[in-house]
Amino acid sequence: MNERCFVMLKPGAMNRRIVGEIIGRLERKGLNLTAVKLMKLSQELAQQHYSEHRKKPFFPGLISYVTSAPVLAMVWEGDNCVALMRKLVGATNPAEASPGTIRGDYCIHTGLNIIHASDSPKNAEREIALFFKPDEIIPWKDEHMNKWI
Ligand code: IDP
Ligand code: MG
């Protein structure tokens, strides 16, 4: 069933000039990019997005990191998109992320992991609504590709 996932390339991806590479990996999986926005996050939006972690010791550092430079906010779509995206992204701690995953291949420190992906379809809808207006999302179908993936 078609599902949406909110994905955000964090400031490390911008500063390291690997935004294109990461998007390429997600495209090759066969998922559809349906919204993109380059944003400098306000403290408020960053805190809302990560509100579940408000009480954690790493929260101030996380907010300071994600507001330190632009991020690339995206919506991706496809069958089972959230679970597939989380697999491609890999474990939160790069030391536990398998090689071949984005965090496994590009990251060393948990606090500087370069990509966010929603952890459930419900959270995806919440996060998408925080970052995008409905008319900024453009669903599309590639009939040729859909036949082969
Ligand atoms: P997730 O990004 O894999 O969903 P969460 O537990 O939701 O992981 O944590 C959100 C983000 O907070 C992580 O991606 C990472 O940037 C940061 N974070 C989580 N745990 C730690 C930690 O123990 N130290 C530093 N930063 C952390
Ligand atoms: Mg999370």
Side-chain angles (χ1 to χ4, degrees):
M1 202 182 76
N2 190 61
E3 208 170 73
R4 287 179 171 175
C5 186
F6 176 70
V7 175
M8 185 175 81
L9 303 188
K10 299 180 187 180
M14 295 294 294
N15 277 287
R16 292 167 58 191
R17 275 70 167 172
I18 51 176
V19 165
E21 271 175 58
I22 306 298
I23 291 178
R25 286 179 168 223
L26 307 182
E27 281 190 298
R28 280 202 303 277
K29 180 70 172 173
L31 296 167
N32 278 19
L33 180 59
T34 59
V36 194
K37 203 190 285 186
L38 184 68
M39 302 170 75
K40 183 79 162 37
L41 297 191
S42 65
Q43 296 286 316
E44 292 70 34
L45 180 54
Q47 287 174 6
Q48 260 185 303
H49 173 61
Y50 282 119
S51 58
E52 65 172 310
H53 299 303
R54 213 175 316 121
K55 305 261 164 59
K56 308 263 176 68
F58 60 80
F59 188 70
L62 174 61
I63 299 305
S64 148
Y65 171 51
V66 296
T67 57
S68 66
V71 300
L72 198 77
M74 298 181 277
V75 178
W76 286 82
E77 291 190 31
D79 289 342
N80 204 19
C81 188
V82 170
L84 295 177
M85 192 62 81
R86 291 287 293 193
K87 276 279 184 211
L88 293 177
V89 164
T92 308
N93 179 350
E96 284 155 21
S98 306
T101 66
I102 293 166
R103 287 168 172 171
D105 286 352
Y106 290 89
C107 305
I108 292 178
H109 299 293
T110 304
L112 289 175
N113 72 29
I114 56 164
I115 183 167
H116 166 85
S118 311
D119 63 5
S120 69
K122 190 158 169 276
N123 275 336
E125 290 309 319
R126 183 188 78 85
E127 292 169 355
I128 289 167
L130 272 180
F131 286 82
F132 291 97
K133 301 191 202 99
D135 69 0
E136 291 175 326
I137 302 165
I138 304 171
W140 56 281
K141 262 200 162 62
D142 177 339
E143 296 301 345
H144 178 72
M145 176 90 172
N146 286 351
K147 212 165 59 182
W148 296 102
I149 49 172

